[in-house]
Amino acid sequence: MKWTGGINVIDTREPGRQCFTLLHATSDAQGVLQWPRDEQQFVACGAGYYDSKLVAQFTLASFEGRVAGQQTVLNKPVPVIEIEALYRFSDCTQGSENSPECYSGYLQPQKP
């Protein structure tokens, strides 16, 4: 299953694991991200750590994985996704293709 959103919070919950709390987004027919009015959130967790130059607060990303549980965020139950793959969207509208904010593609976690 694929989940897409903007990262709000990044934290370490256990040694060797990183979790992200995201504002959920959907895609329209052209693939443009749409933000639901009811501000749905989800959490994605996985082994290892992602480069902080590429994955930070406000980064747009898609997570492939399975629902592994549930937790409460802002007093609402939200799904927790076990990360199988993380895809980072580019933050560039213009600029150098070599800068970290311009990178778009799948990322591999760094092992602890």
Side-chain angles (χ1 to χ4, degrees), residues 3 13 17 19 42-45 66-72 78-82:
W3 298 74
R13 301 209 177 150
R17 286 181 61 81
C19 292
F42 69 97
V43 174
C45 297
R66 61 180 173 72
V67 176
Q70 187 176 21
Q71 75 175 56
T72 302
V78 301
V80 176
I81 310 306
E82 182 64 27

Side-chain angles (χ1 to χ4, degrees), residues 1-56:
M1 191 167 208
K2 185 184 265 188
W3 298 74
T4 301
I7 297 174
N8 287 333
V9 178
I10 301 172
D11 65 311
T12 301
R13 301 209 177 150
E14 306 169 18
R17 286 181 61 81
Q18 195 170 43
C19 292
F20 307 92
T21 303
L22 297 101
L23 181 61
H24 183 257
T26 58
S27 297
D28 66 13
Q30 290 76 34
V32 176
L33 293 182
Q34 304 293 314
W35 303 98
R37 292 185 185 269
D38 61 353
E39 296 188 18
Q40 301 167 9
Q41 302 215 25
F42 69 97
V43 174
C45 297
Y49 302 97
Y50 292 89
D51 185 337
S52 62
K53 292 178 188 160
L54 296 172
V55 180

